[in-house]
């Protein structure tokens, strides 16, 4: 008996679900070279345009000169450097919480937090459209796992009635494939009423949302009691890499003691923490980045609606265009690429069957003229796509 991997790969190709890695040959930014082709890109999560910012680059360079390159060991052995500690304090200040804890990746932060907080005899309730890392964390925790209807506090309340043990309610802040925002006030109300805890992964909210870029919790003016566990990633609007969990002193101490993905991993490079400290400073002080981004979002939505594209209910930099059929979505993306525009087709299993889409992401580094080029390309391709049969 052997693994028939070739048959699995062939099946994925036949279903228009085969994925390939584009080779980026330039730094992140609106204008890139991918697989040798110059393109205007609308598919990264560098929402504030900080991934290639000269001050962030210089902070990393200076950090490497001062602290070296590797983390050297796990945080609990000898890998917890001064820059890591300073970044944790700055992230606690950003979120208005007593403490924050650095993780090497967002996936690890979600896995670590959920599995450290609940186990056998407990309950995890998650939004149906949560990120894969949250769903995997719930399944791996050993707790009773259930999903409530997307962004539906009534559906959550019904599941809370049946919950046993310690109960953790988990939601994305901004849903990465739809771009919509969680109804946190309603979710927090139902969760607190049952004595459960609410955990929010605000990977796509930090930076674009909140008066100071503090994300969805700042956007809604919620407290530590409303959202005891707040997760953020640093590889999106912060423009660097890694992740963090922010919360009470007891929460952070518990994660240090019990979160296996934290305990058993080498710390991120200290110079990376130096770079993130600089990007955090820019995120908080340069309000024009959020303001410009909001102008571009409004411009895109107005133009896309005039073309007749099927948009989703999103006021964030994530602007999906619904296509439906996976093959059609791939063709749409390829036609745009032939015109020098890079927009990724998102297909199952990342999104539900029949809901393939183009995922447009806007950043503060884009100009209004570049967004207009995108709209012109979409209009041209959409007109041509209309003549093609839908194979759904």
């Amino acid at each position: 008996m052997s693994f028939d991997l070739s048959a699995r790969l062939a099946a994925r190709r036949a279903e228009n679900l085969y994925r390939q890695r584009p080779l980026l040959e330039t730094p992140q930014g609106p204008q890139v070279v991918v697989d040798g082709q110059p393109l205007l890109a609308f598919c990264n999560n560098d929402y504030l345009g900080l991934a290639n910012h000269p001050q962030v680059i210089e902070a990393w360079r200076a950090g490497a000169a001062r602290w070296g390159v590797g983390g050297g060991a796990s945080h609990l052995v000898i890998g917890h450097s001064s820059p890591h500690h300073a970044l944790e304090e700055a992230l606690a200040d950003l979120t208005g919480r007593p403490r924050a804890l650095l993780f090497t990746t967002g996936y690890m932060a979600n896995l670590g937090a959920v599995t450290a907080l609940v186990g056998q005899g407990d309950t995890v309730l998650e939004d149906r459209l949560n990120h894969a890392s949250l769903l995997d964390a719930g399944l791996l925790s050993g707790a009773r796992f259930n999903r409530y209807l997307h962004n539906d506090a009534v559906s959550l309340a019904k599941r809370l009635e049946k919950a046993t043990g310690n109960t953790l309610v988990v939601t994305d802040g901004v849903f990465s494939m739809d771009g919509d925002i969680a109804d946190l006030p309603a979710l927090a109300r139902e969760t607190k009423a049952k004595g459960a805890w609410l955990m929010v992964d605000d990977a796509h909210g930090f930076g674009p949302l909140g008066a100071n870029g503090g994300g969805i919790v700042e956007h809604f003016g919620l407290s530590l009691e409303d959202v005891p566990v707040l997760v953020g990633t640093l590889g999106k609007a912060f423009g660097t890499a890694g992740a963090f969990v922010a919360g009470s002193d007891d929460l952070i101490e518990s994660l240090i003691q019990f979160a296996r993905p934290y305990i058993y991993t080498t710390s991120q490079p200290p110079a990376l923490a130096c770079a993130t400290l600089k990007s955090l400073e820019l995120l908080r002080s340069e309000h024009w980045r959020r303001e410009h981004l909001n102008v571009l979002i409004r411009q895109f939505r107005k133009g896309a609606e005039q073309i007749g594209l099927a948009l989703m209910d999103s006021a964030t930099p994530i602007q999906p265009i619904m296509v439906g059929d996976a093959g059609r979505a791939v063709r749409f993306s390829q036609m745009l690429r032939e015109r020098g525009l890079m927009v990724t087709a998102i297909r199952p299993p990342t999104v539900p069957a029949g809901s393939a889409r183009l995922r447009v992401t806007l950043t503060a580094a884009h100009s209004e003229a570049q967004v207009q080029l995108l709209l012109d390309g979409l209009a041209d391709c959409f007109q041509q796509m209309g003549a093609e049969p839908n194979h759904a």
Side-chain angles (χ1 to χ4, degrees):
M1 186 175 178
S2 63
F3 293 98
D4 191 355
L5 299 182
S6 60
R8 291 178 67 189
L9 293 171
R12 178 149 281 204
R13 283 192 181 93
E15 294 163 0
N16 288 306
L17 301 180
Y18 196 77
R19 298 168 177 180
Q20 292 173 288
R21 299 180 300 175
L23 182 61
L24 178 66
E25 299 168 33
T26 53
Q28 288 290 353
Q31 293 176 304
V32 295
V33 175
V34 175
D35 297 325
Q37 182 185 7
L39 293 167
L40 180 57
F42 290 91
C43 51
N44 72 42
N45 299 322
D46 180 28
Y47 301 125
L48 297 185
L50 297 175
N52 192 33
H53 193 286
Q55 290 182 45
V56 178
I57 294 169
E58 180 51 39
W60 191 314
R61 186 180 287 119
R66 169 72 176 83
W67 297 97
V69 178
S74 69
H75 284 274
L76 289 171
V77 178
I78 195 175
H80 189 63
S81 300
S82 298
H84 298 134
H85 205 71
L87 178 55
E88 288 180 344
E89 290 177 338
L91 290 166
D93 185 61
L94 172 70
T95 57
R97 285 159 187 257
R99 290 181 68 184
L101 188 69
L102 272 181
F103 282 78
T104 306
T105 69
Y107 208 107
M108 287 172 55
N110 284 333
L111 198 61
V114 173
T115 56
L117 291 172
V118 290
Q120 286 192 330
D122 298 324
T123 302
V124 179
L125 301 174
E126 300 207 18
D127 189 292
R128 280 188 180 276
L129 297 187
N130 273 353
H131 188 265
S133 60
L134 294 171
L135 299 174
D136 288 355
L139 291 166
L140 289 168
S141 70
R144 184 172 172 231
F145 178 80
N146 209 321
R147 294 193 282 182
Y148 59 90
L149 297 177
H150 176 52
N151 218 0
D152 189 329
V154 174
S155 173
L156 171 62
K158 290 176 182 173
R159 283 158 177 76
L160 281 166
E161 292 288 349
K162 300 172 184 175
T164 56
N166 291 323
T167 301
L168 187 66
V169 175
V170 185
T171 183
D172 274 317
V174 176
F175 291 88
S176 61
M177 292 299 128
D178 289 22
D180 56 337
I181 299 174
D183 185 2
L184 276 198
L187 297 175
R189 191 165 54 247
E190 296 296 343
T191 303
K192 285 201 315 187
K194 291 295 185 293
W197 269 23
L198 179 59
M199 171 176 160
V200 176
D201 175 10
D202 203 24
H204 298 269
F206 279 105
L209 296 182
N212 299 296
I216 192 169
V217 171
E218 183 184 40
H219 173 77
F220 282 120
L222 299 176
S223 67
L224 177 65
E225 289 69 35
D226 296 316
V227 182
V229 188
L230 179 58
V231 181
T233 53
L234 305 172
K236 298 179 173 65
F238 287 85
T240 57
F244 66 94
V245 179
S248 68
D249 185 68
D250 281 351
L251 171 68
I252 300 307
E253 279 301 317
S254 296
L255 295 182
I256 290 170
Q257 301 303 320
F258 303 113
R260 291 167 67 85
Y262 178 81
I263 297 166
Y264 298 108
T265 300
T266 299
S267 65
Q268 63 175 226
L272 171 57
C274 295
T276 307
L277 277 164
K278 176 54 68 174
S279 70
L280 175 52
E281 178 189 316
L282 296 170
L283 179 148
R284 298 187 77 171
S285 64
E286 295 191 345
H287 295 277
W288 67 263
R289 294 180 182 274
R290 274 180 295 283
E291 292 160 7
H292 176 60
L293 188 51
N294 286 327
V295 167
L296 298 183
I297 293 167
R298 289 192 293 270
Q299 176 194 358
F300 175 79
R301 288 189 69 82
K302 182 179 179 183
E305 285 165 1
Q306 288 172 348
I307 294 167
L309 298 170
L311 297 181
M312 301 187 75
D313 183 21
S314 169
T316 70
I318 301 166
Q319 292 293 326
I321 300 168
M322 289 300 294
V323 178
D325 175 61
R328 194 168 163 85
V330 170
R331 177 67 187 136
F332 203 157
S333 177
Q334 288 171 340
M335 289 172 68
L336 287 168
R337 187 157 173 167
E338 288 162 10
R339 288 159 177 76
L341 298 162
M342 188 170 184
V343 180
T344 307
I346 305 294
R347 297 160 283 167
T350 304
V351 292
S355 71
R357 65 201 63 179
L358 297 183
R359 182 181 182 267
V360 172
T361 53
L362 302 168
T363 78
H366 286 112
S367 67
E368 291 180 55
Q370 288 171 332
V371 172
Q372 189 56 53
L373 284 172
L374 172 62
L375 290 167
D376 293 344
L378 285 167
D380 187 18
C381 295
F382 184 60
Q383 189 174 15
Q384 291 188 46
M385 291 287 289
E388 292 187 11
N390 192 330
H391 301 295

